Amino acid sequence: MRIKELQILVYEYDTVVELPESDQNLLLKAREVANNAYAPYSKFKVGAALLLENGLIITGSNQENADFTDGLCAERVAMFYANSTYPDVAVKAIAVTAKNINGLIEEPAQPCGSCRQVLVETEWRYKKAMRIIMDGRKRIQVLEGADNLLPFAFKPSSLD
Ligand code: THU
């Protein structure tokens, strides 16, 4: 029997201005696009901004549907658009923010399980770890790679 301990480094910042400049810029874009969310059912507006290797920023917001299960999260709206429009360009970073009826949520916005799975696949596809910037009123958290969000992910290599 062996016990293995996994280590996850979480970089915490009190405010957006403390972040490295490129993260600040990305997070502000995510905050902007959260206003475009179509979230009449949950009233929870999520914004995601991706920084591509070629310097482009791609954004997305959650899009809901009266048939609840047909909606899509902000992260996947942005990621699928980026990957389908620029299929050869890696994603360097993603910033995620969320607002409820009271404004920016208190704790850092956490991508859901399905979005984590998609982030892991994108890292695998481009062979590049992505910075993950999660926005909250109390703190902003940064992770260096989607593996940190989803250890033991089902990856393309899981099919071998
Ligand atoms: N949502 C996202 O956009 N991203 C996530 O990672 C978590 C949840 C959206 C889906 C739904 O429109 C609303 O937030 C409430 O769950």
Side-chain angles (χ1 to χ4, degrees), residues 4-160:
K4 292 184 178 175
E5 190 176 330
L6 302 181
Q7 198 184 39
I8 295 176
L9 298 183
V10 183
Y11 300 88
E12 279 201 357
Y13 300 85
D14 291 330
T15 63
V16 70
V17 291
E18 276 181 27
L19 287 166
E21 209 175 304
S22 146
D23 292 350
Q24 276 187 41
N25 187 34
L26 203 59
L27 185 48
L28 293 178
K29 289 277 184 334
R31 285 185 181 178
E32 231 177 271
V33 78
N35 297 320
N36 297 348
Y38 177 62
Y41 307 104
S42 70
K43 314 260 189 269
F44 191 71
K45 295 183 162 204
V46 185
L50 311 179
L51 175 63
L52 305 191
E53 190 113 88
N54 62 8
L56 278 177
I57 290 179
I58 302 293
T59 57
S61 58
N62 53 326
Q63 301 295 313
E64 298 185 349
N65 195 284
D67 185 357
F68 292 173
T69 56
D70 285 340
L72 196 63
C73 294
E75 297 93 317
R76 278 176 288 161
V77 168
M79 194 61 80
F80 290 151
Y81 177 79
N83 296 164
S84 57
T85 312
Y86 305 99
D88 300 322
V89 184
V91 180
K92 277 174 77 175
I94 178 170
V96 186
T97 189
K99 300 171 189 188
N100 59 25
I101 50 167
N102 301 315
L104 179 61
I105 56 171
E106 294 291 318
E107 294 293 343
Q110 298 266 342
C112 77
S114 299
C115 289
R116 291 174 194 216
Q117 185 69 33
V118 168
L119 299 187
V120 167
E121 181 84 18
T122 305
E123 286 191 341
W124 176 272
R125 176 174 174 179
Y126 298 106
K127 304 282 177 273
K128 185 166 186 68
M130 138 188 4
R131 258 174 104 68
I132 296 161
I133 303 140
M134 298 175 291
D135 193 19
R137 195 193 293 268
K138 282 193 188 152
R139 64 191 120 235
I140 296 164
Q141 290 178 329
V142 178
L143 302 176
E144 290 178 333
D147 265 2
N148 294 306
L149 277 176
L150 193 63
F152 303 102
F154 189 85
K155 296 178 178 179
S157 60
S158 310
L159 297 169
D160 293 343

